[in-house]
């Protein structure tokens, strides 16, 4: 903002040569970069303007001279003009009042208006100076909008944001710090050696070195450490920082962003324990655990497989499973089973012979399924196998024993059939003999009865007719 200086009127009213004074005033009047107008006090008609006024308003000198600012509709709000004139009458001048004015094109501009009375001869005039601040206003508006957006982002971001100056002192921290550690923004700004007192003792030395590196202009990403909250509890955080420079490349310090990873650390610990448990289970399990990639190459297997096969994992890792462990006749059918697994078709109880390092054969029963990543994409095949060689041999021995028993049963059945036939024949002969014996017995009985009738009955009849002696009667 530029003010109307008393020197202008002093030159006009000075005792020095009027022509010299007028030349000085005219030179200053024309060379001033801001628009200047001189108007009559009573009528408000403009009697003179400088070139800056012409350039700024877009009006020619002829269009302006003899007209008032009201006639030219320069004032957006005429009441602003009335207030300014009331202040002029009261104070004699006015400096730096912000108003809005209209150019010939209709464009509205923000200006700082200054004015004072000017005595020239016996007349009193008004000297008005206009300083256009539209660009500054736009910049201020843009700056306020930028600050508003910055505040909206920084104050409400879930991360703990810091701005540390080139001297290592905290210049700004967002309100999220309170949510993180329980300290207010004011407490952090007043804290000596911030943020080192907030760091857990176990991490202080390491983070002190990182902080000094950041002050020197280095960048850092995803550095983990622990902080001690105001209530004494500890949290895991991850810190990233980068240097900041102004438009001229001058260092402004560094910005540090902090994120709470306590829940992630708990989850990592849980996953670590689960992984340890799973790995321990796999390593100690008395079954084969085998992982193949989508091309059938060996990714890993457990110690039990090393024990069964005789190979260490390092010897066969990334080699093709089929040509390494399978005899040629079995490679295609096993590959077909593998391809089914890659189609997400589960396989249970498939048995095939595996060639061991010593050349022997082991029968393995496999249970296979597809391995998928977090997005559900198939990344390989997991197979769990058990050595069934002894079981298969036992089953084969049982089958042989069963077959032998079946043969012996069949043989014995045939023998029994022959013996049964012989017994049937003997039984038939016996039945015939018995029948003949029965018939002979019946014939004998008939003869005995006949003899009895022939010999005894007549004697009895004789006895019945003949009288018996007393002794004979005693036997009767």
């Amino acid at each position: 903002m530029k003010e109307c200086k008393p020197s202008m009127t002093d030159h006009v009213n000075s005792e020095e040569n009027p022509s010299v004074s007028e030349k000085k005033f005219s030179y200053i009047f024309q060379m001033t970069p801001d628009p200047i107008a001189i108007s009559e006090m009573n009528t408000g008609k403009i009697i003179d303007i400088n070139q800056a006024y012409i350039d700024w308003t877009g009006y020619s000198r002829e269009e302006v001279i003899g007209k008032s600012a009201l006639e030219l509709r320069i004032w957006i709000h005429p009441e602003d003009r009335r207030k300014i004139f009331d202040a002029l009458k009261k104070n004699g001048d006015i400096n730096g009042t912000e108003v809005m004015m209209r150019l010939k094109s209709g464009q509205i501009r923000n200006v700082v208006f200054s004015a004072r009375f000017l005595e020239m001869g016996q007349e009193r005039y008004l000297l008005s100076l206009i300083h256009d601040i539209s660009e500054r206003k736009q910049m201020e508006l843009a700056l306020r909008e930028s600050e508003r957006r910055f505040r909206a982002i920084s104050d409400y971001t879930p991360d703990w944001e810091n701005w540390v100056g080139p001297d290592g002192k905290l210049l700004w921290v967002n309100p999220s710090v309170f949510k993180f550690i329980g300290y207010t923004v004011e407490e952090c700004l007043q804290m000596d050696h911030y943020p080192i007192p907030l760091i857990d003792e176990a991490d202080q030395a390491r983070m002190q070195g990182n902080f000094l590196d950041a002050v020197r202009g280095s960048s850092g990403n995803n550095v983990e450490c622990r902080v001690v909250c105001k209530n004494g509890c500890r949290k895991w955080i991850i810190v990233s920082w980068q240097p900041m420079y102004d438009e001229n490349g001058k260092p402004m310090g560094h910005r540090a962003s902090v994120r709470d990873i306590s829940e992630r650390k708990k989850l990592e610990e849980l996953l670590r324990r689960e992984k340890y448990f799973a790995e321990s289970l796999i390593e100690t399990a008395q079954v084969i655990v085998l992982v193949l990639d989508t091309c059938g190459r060996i990714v890993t297997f457990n110690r039990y497989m090393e024990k069964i096969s005789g190979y260490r994992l390092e010897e066969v890792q990334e080699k093709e499973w089929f040509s390494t462990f399978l005899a040629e006749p079995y490679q295609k059918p096993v590959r077909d089973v593998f391809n089914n697994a890659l189609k997400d078709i589960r396989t249970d109880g498939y048995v095939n012979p595996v060639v061991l390092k010593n050349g022997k054969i082991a029968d393995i029963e496999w249970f296979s399924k597809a391995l998928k990543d977090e997005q559900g994409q198939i990344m390989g095949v997991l197979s769990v196998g058990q050595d069934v060689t002894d079981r298969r041999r036992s089953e084969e021995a049982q089958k042989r024993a069963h077959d032998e028993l079946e043969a012996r049963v069949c043989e014995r059945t045939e023998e029994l059939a022959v013996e049964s036939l012989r017994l049937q024949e003997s039984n038939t002969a016996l039945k015939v003999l018995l029948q003949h014996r029965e018939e002979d017995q019946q014939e004998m009985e008939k003869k005995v009865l006949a003899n009895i009738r022939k010999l005894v009955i007549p004697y009895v009849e004789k006895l019945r007719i003949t009288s018996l002696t007393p002794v004979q009667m005693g036997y009767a």
Side-chain angles (χ1 to χ4, degrees), residues 162-348:
N162 304 265
W163 177 13
V164 178
D167 57 357
K169 292 183 179 180
L170 179 67
L171 300 178
W172 172 88
V173 62
N174 70 337
S176 292
V177 66
F178 182 78
K179 178 187 70 176
F180 270 72
I181 55 175
Y183 288 94
T184 65
V185 170
E186 291 73 20
E187 288 174 317
C188 292
L189 290 171
Q190 295 171 10
M191 188 179 295
D192 292 334
H193 309 296
Y194 176 94
I196 302 305
L198 304 174
I199 307 299
D200 187 274
E201 289 184 2
D203 300 325
Q204 274 191 5
R206 174 171 58 88
M207 294 307 294
Q208 176 72 50
N210 288 328
F211 181 74
L212 293 176
D213 289 341
V215 172
R216 297 187 188 104
S218 74
S219 298
N221 289 305
N222 302 329
V223 177
E224 296 181 3
C225 70
R226 286 155 292 186
V227 291
V228 181
C229 301
K230 193 173 184 179
N231 62 7
C233 72
R234 283 164 171 74
K235 288 184 177 181
W236 276 98
I237 61 171
I238 189 169
V239 188
S240 298
W241 64 89
Q242 59 183 4
M244 299 169 59
Y245 303 93
D246 63 15
E247 61 274 11
N248 298 317
K250 183 179 179 181
M252 299 172 59
H254 68 272
R255 169 193 172 185
S257 298
V258 181
R259 183 165 296 175
D260 188 346
I261 59 169
S262 300
E263 292 302 319
R264 193 192 81 185
K265 279 292 185 179
K266 291 178 182 177
L267 180 59
E268 286 177 353
E269 177 62 19
L270 178 62
L271 291 175
R272 186 191 66 79
R273 292 179 181 178
E274 289 183 352
K275 181 181 179 183
Y276 175 76
F277 173 76
E279 289 177 347
S280 299
L281 185 63
I282 290 171
E283 288 303 313
T284 57
Q286 297 302 296
V287 293
I288 296 170
V289 179
L290 170 68
V291 178
L292 304 179
D293 66 14
T294 54
C295 296
R297 293 186 294 260
I298 299 168
V299 177
T300 187
F301 53 63
N302 64 344
R303 291 181 182 176
Y304 187 74
M305 177 60 182
E306 291 184 341
K307 176 182 175 182
I308 292 293
S309 68
Y311 288 102
R312 289 180 295 105
L313 175 61
E314 294 78 10
E315 295 181 79
V316 293
Q317 196 168 32
E318 297 186 0
K319 290 186 178 180
E320 189 190 55
W321 167 260
F322 311 101
S323 59
T324 304
F325 282 92
L326 302 178
E328 196 280 330
Y330 296 97
Q331 291 182 17
K332 184 181 184 306
V334 174
R335 187 181 288 276
D336 291 340
V337 173
F338 171 78
N339 290 331
N340 285 336
L342 290 178
K343 296 174 184 175
D344 210 10
I345 301 173
R346 187 185 179 101
T347 301
D348 293 333

Side-chain angles (χ1 to χ4, degrees), residues 139-157:
M139 291 177 63
E140 289 175 352
L141 180 63
L143 180 60
R144 284 196 298 272
E145 179 64 17
S146 176
E147 289 178 350
R148 185 186 69 81
R149 292 177 180 177
F150 172 76
R151 290 291 180 186
I153 295 172
S154 62
D155 288 356
Y156 296 99
T157 182

Side-chain angles (χ1 to χ4, degrees), residues 434-446:
L434 290 174
Q435 185 177 358
H436 284 270
R437 182 179 178 185
E438 186 176 353
E439 291 174 354
D440 292 343
Q441 185 178 356
Q442 291 176 355
E443 185 66 28
M444 181 66 71
E445 289 176 354
K446 288 179 181 181

